[in-house]
Amino acid sequence: MKRETGENTIKRAWLPTSAKEIEELGWDYIDVILFSGDAYVDHPSFAAAVIGRTLQAHGYRVAIVPQPNWRDDLRDFKKLGKPRLFFGVSAGAMDSMVNHYTAARRRRSNDAYTPGGRFGMRPDYPTIVYSQILRELYPDTPIIAGGIEASLRRVSHYDYWQDRLRPSILLDAPVDMIIYGMGEKTIVEVADALAAGESITELKSVMQTAILLPKSETPDADGGNIVLASYEECRRDKRKQAANFKHVEQQSNRMRGAVIWQPHGDKVVKINPMLPPMTTGEIDAAFDLPYTRLPHPRYRGKEIPAWEMIKHSVNLHRGCFGGCSFCTISAHQGKFIASRSKESILKEVKAVIAMPDFKGYISDLGGPSANMYRMGGRDKKICEKCMRPSCLHPEPCKNLNNDHGPLLEIYHAVDSLPGIKKSFIGSGVRYDLSMAPSGDSRVDEVNRRYNEELIKNHVSGRLKVAPEHTCDRVLDIMRKPSFRQFYDFKKIFDRVNRQYDLKQQIIPYFISSHPGCREMDMAELAAETKALNMHLEQVQDFTPTPMTVSTEIYYTGIHPYTGEKVYCAVSPEEKLAQRKYFFWYDKTYRADIVKSLQKMHRQDLVRALYPAYRDPGSGYKKQRR
């Protein structure tokens, strides 16, 4: 009997990525081959690992081809041959165009999901490129697309980088099916059906899938079927695109949505409803799979920045009910929270503690929003009928349970483990959630204690929060609370810091050029944050990404829910005119800012930002001590 080498034993811990590894496993066939735009990190934060491990747990043989070379003789697409069931294709954890380009459409110089941060290891639109290659090489093998890129491009969508309305990705990528959102349950259902001998073309009604059918199969609109305006109509009339989006967002955020149909020429895209949120047992099963939590040995110790960032962190839940206009989390994960059990969380924390390079500090105990663990509607029957995209805007839902007690229990349990010095909260905290009156004095007291314990015990020097803007009109479009709540939270933050002699900073995130935001709004933001003694760091220009309210407003100029026209900064000049106010303290921008404010007749803001400025003709004078 051949004895395994230590290296072979190590490789067996990962899903195979090469013909040699397949041979070492003694496999004579592969059920599923996954192609991913990301490096293969065997960790529950990396989708290829989650899908691969899920299928493996159900008895399937799965291989992963990470970041295949699409520019050579295509050997990466040929090396493992044809799978028994299907190819899976994903661009990776990010939309490839967000990964590749800045808000100014400039090419980025690095890629956090690639060894060494090296750029250029995936094409633009990998979902399309990979599937086209596979379809040409293996015309009869089913191809299933998943991941953020395919998920958020499942209907006609505005593409910021091409500045045009694109059809559903099903028209550009020759795939048989899209599994959108979090795909563990659906991928197993599809694999089981194919393994039982069903054809991929027979799987027309699997939940959380999108498929392309002949237009003749489009039903009449009724309570269970919504027929959107066609892609061609949307190209001609932006109002129809805006109206389409409202339906898509509402159905994505329902517990039991309708089937959505959108004609494209002589075809129709059918989008089956999203699954109900995972139970605790189901989400535990996904996180409790036998991940190594490490990059595959093929990378020979090269640093993968995205993994370095999260390797000592633990995700507590999925979903987000904040419904921010510029965010895609609810479109992909849903607004209903699926929370892990305390036992599952502590099991993962213990696995982190056992890592050789762990120094005692959990970098993040969080989630899509840090503090939504085990929250949701008190009366689930109300939630089943609800079509609100946000449980927090325009004000917190009266049915919402915002008890932070279970979250504090997790914090306490983690911090009491041997080997833990401190656990930090690196995810964004929704202070409007923790400060919202619940109508229950016990819950309000727990939430008050949560804010204090968060600030006292779980801040790594700097607490990141996301007010996003200071103008109430812009914040309303963003579906964010008034900036007055930031002042209220900052008072708590400052008091706790004084009480415990801490020297921590609160770091707010802000966005410029968001739909509805004008240059004057940014000037007032600069003055207001200066009065708070802040030199802003965490800032960005609004980047339109598929399937957000903000993107639809940016493209159409119309708010999908009101039908009203909304101003948008679209040109590079308009965007720069707003962005410069983030950096009012930089001498490079001073003269231009003063000139702009004078043109807007806001001498008061000139004085607020530059007290030493006297008048247009005399420049600046030195402040007297």
Side-chain angles (χ1 to χ4, degrees):
M1 181 177 178
K2 183 179 178 181
R3 183 173 179 174
E4 286 191 334
T5 64
E7 183 180 357
N8 286 345
T9 303
I10 290 171
K11 286 184 177 178
R12 282 179 182 267
W14 279 264
L15 298 170
T17 65
S18 67
K20 182 180 178 183
E21 291 169 63
I22 298 292
E23 182 182 351
E24 289 170 355
L25 290 169
W27 291 0
D28 55 357
Y29 67 88
I30 307 170
D31 290 309
V32 177
I33 302 176
L34 304 176
F35 283 81
S36 173
D38 291 341
Y40 171 32
V41 179
D42 195 48
H43 187 283
S45 292
F46 289 75
V50 175
I51 295 300
R53 290 296 189 184
T54 298
L55 288 166
Q56 181 191 52
H58 284 79
Y60 294 105
R61 295 179 176 182
V62 185
I64 296 178
V65 181
Q67 300 190 312
N69 191 335
W70 73 101
R71 292 172 290 201
D72 60 4
D73 59 4
L74 306 181
R75 67 188 68 181
D76 284 344
F77 292 87
K78 302 172 185 175
K79 65 183 182 181
L80 301 184
K82 183 170 73 169
R84 185 172 69 94
L85 299 180
F86 63 87
F87 288 110
V89 170
S90 171
M94 294 176 66
D95 184 282
S96 65
M97 304 308 281
V98 178
N99 182 286
H100 282 176
Y101 299 94
T102 68
R105 297 190 177 98
R106 294 193 183 97
R107 196 85 167 173
R108 298 187 191 275
S109 58
N110 51 48
D111 183 339
Y113 290 87
T114 299
R118 181 181 173 189
F119 186 84
M121 296 301 288
R122 77 184 88 209
D124 289 353
Y125 310 106
T127 308
I128 297 171
V129 174
Y130 295 169
S131 59
Q132 286 176 341
I133 293 169
L134 290 169
R135 180 62 71 210
E136 187 173 334
L137 292 174
Y138 308 100
D140 301 322
T141 303
I143 305 173
I144 298 173
I148 289 285
E149 184 166 272
S151 181
L152 302 184
R153 294 171 180 264
R154 57 190 185 259
V155 291
S156 63
H157 56 278
Y158 173 66
D159 188 291
Y160 173 67
W161 298 272
Q162 293 188 345
D163 192 24
R164 70 180 178 97
L165 191 72
R166 290 188 65 134
S168 163
I169 198 169
L170 282 164
L171 276 295
D172 291 325
V175 302
D176 297 281
M177 175 184 287
I178 291 171
I179 295 178
Y180 69 89
M182 309 305 283
E184 295 102 320
K185 293 176 69 175
T186 304
I187 199 78
V188 171
E189 181 179 349
V190 171
D192 287 349
L194 295 178
E198 292 187 61
S199 166
I200 190 76
T201 58
E202 297 177 88
L203 306 181
K204 295 182 180 181
S205 299
V206 179
M207 296 279 279
Q208 221 161 294
T209 63
I211 57 175
L212 194 62
L213 296 170
K215 188 177 180 180
S216 59
E217 296 195 28
T218 310
D220 293 330
D222 57 29
N225 293 279
I226 295 174
V227 181
L228 303 178
S230 71
Y231 168 62
E232 291 77 16
E233 289 177 293
C234 291
R235 288 185 65 187
R236 292 191 296 267
D237 185 347
K238 290 182 176 180
R239 282 194 173 273
K240 291 187 176 180
Q241 172 65 20
N244 274 5
F245 176 81
K246 180 179 177 181
H247 288 301
V248 173
E249 184 182 50
Q250 287 180 330
Q251 297 309 312
S252 297
N253 285 309
R254 287 183 66 186
M255 196 168 285
R256 290 178 176 82
V259 179
I260 292 175
W261 305 76
Q262 186 182 28
H264 288 66
D266 61 354
K267 303 286 186 182
V268 65
V269 173
K270 180 188 182 187
I271 303 173
N272 292 304
M274 185 174 273
L275 284 160
M278 281 181 156
T279 65
T280 295
E282 288 170 339
I283 192 170
D284 280 357
F287 278 89
D288 291 347
L289 293 167
Y291 305 101
T292 65
R293 300 184 62 85
L294 301 169
H296 190 277
R298 64 186 282 141
Y299 303 121
R300 304 180 189 280
K302 287 183 181 177
E303 181 179 292
I304 299 174
W307 175 71
E308 294 288 340
M309 184 182 297
I310 57 86
K311 64 180 178 179
H312 295 151
S313 69
V314 176
N315 187 15
L316 308 183
H317 72 271
R318 290 180 183 169
C320 179
F321 50 72
C324 298
S325 296
F326 47 82
C327 181
T328 60
I329 291 172
S330 64
H332 190 69
Q333 296 191 10
K335 78 173 181 181
F336 298 103
I337 304 302
S339 298
R340 301 170 64 185
S341 68
K342 182 168 76 170
E343 292 73 24
S344 176
I345 292 167
L346 294 180
K347 179 181 176 182
E348 186 175 358
V349 172
K350 289 173 184 176
V352 174
I353 293 171
M355 295 177 71
D357 64 343
F358 184 68
K359 305 298 184 186
Y361 300 96
I362 297 290
S363 61
D364 185 19
L365 276 179
S369 285
N371 55 320
M372 292 185 179
Y373 180 72
R374 282 182 56 182
M375 293 185 194
R378 296 185 184 92
D379 185 343
K380 302 304 179 189
K381 291 181 179 178
I382 293 176
C383 294
E384 288 180 6
K385 299 175 184 177
C386 180
M387 293 179 69
R388 279 180 60 169
S390 171
C391 302
L392 295 176
H393 183 84
E395 59 186 20
C397 175
K398 290 180 171 57
N399 188 44
L400 178 63
N401 168 25
N402 69 333
D403 184 356
H404 285 63
L407 189 53
L408 278 177
E409 186 180 335
I410 294 295
Y411 292 176
H412 297 162
V414 169
D415 288 349
S416 67
L417 289 175
I420 295 292
K421 295 177 182 176
K422 203 152 193 173
S423 61
F424 298 117
I425 312 306
S427 312
V429 174
R430 290 296 301 247
Y431 53 79
D432 54 332
L433 177 60
S434 61
M435 295 173 67
S438 69
D440 183 324
S441 59
R442 181 197 67 80
V443 171
D444 289 345
E445 173 57 25
V446 167
N447 293 353
R448 182 197 63 75
R449 185 155 46 87
Y450 170 82
N451 285 327
E452 294 203 358
E453 288 196 25
L454 167 74
I455 297 164
K456 178 188 173 187
N457 300 327
H458 301 285
V459 176
S460 180
R462 295 150 67 92
L463 177 65
K464 297 176 183 177
V465 294
E468 309 295 5
H469 214 286
T470 59
C471 172
D472 283 348
R473 174 175 42 78
V474 177
L475 287 165
D476 186 56
I477 295 173
M478 290 178 162
R479 295 180 183 152
K480 295 287 287 188
S482 170
F483 193 63
R484 290 188 297 275
Q485 285 205 9
F486 175 80
Y487 282 101
D488 294 338
F489 183 74
K490 190 174 183 300
K491 287 177 184 176
I492 298 171
F493 184 85
D494 291 343
R495 175 177 59 78
V496 173
N497 271 267
R498 287 193 303 271
Q499 183 176 347
Y500 296 100
D501 195 27
L502 303 172
K503 293 179 170 46
Q504 300 174 149
Q505 290 179 290
I506 189 167
I507 307 297
Y509 283 76
F510 290 101
I511 297 176
S512 61
S513 303
H514 188 276
C517 179
R518 297 179 179 273
E519 185 178 348
M520 183 77 75
D521 301 319
M522 290 302 300
E524 291 176 347
L525 182 153
E528 192 159 359
T529 55
K530 185 200 173 187
L532 289 167
N533 197 30
M534 290 179 172
H535 283 201
L536 303 182
E537 301 174 18
Q538 301 292 333
V539 298
Q540 64 178 23
D541 283 340
F542 167 65
T543 304
T545 55
M547 207 172 284
T548 69
V549 181
S550 302
T551 297
E552 297 301 323
I553 298 173
Y554 178 91
Y555 169 63
T556 65
I558 300 161
H559 197 298
Y561 284 79
T562 67
E564 296 176 354
K565 291 185 177 180
V566 178
Y567 167 78
C568 298
V570 174
S571 71
E573 294 76 19
E574 290 173 309
K575 287 174 171 288
L576 183 59
Q578 293 199 19
R579 181 177 173 78
K580 68 189 178 190
Y581 290 98
F582 284 142
F583 310 106
W584 59 267
Y585 51 84
D586 188 331
K587 293 179 181 179
T588 307
Y589 297 99
R590 184 181 295 171
D592 190 33
I593 287 174
V594 170
K595 183 178 178 181
S596 296
L597 290 175
Q598 289 174 338
K599 190 175 180 180
M600 292 186 287
H601 306 290
R602 293 301 302 267
Q603 196 68 26
D604 59 320
L605 293 179
V606 175
R607 290 192 295 271
L609 291 175
Y610 308 114
Y613 188 81
R614 292 187 296 187
D615 60 59
S618 58
Y620 298 84
K621 62 181 180 180
K622 291 183 179 179
Q623 293 277 14
R624 290 185 178 179
R625 292 187 180 275

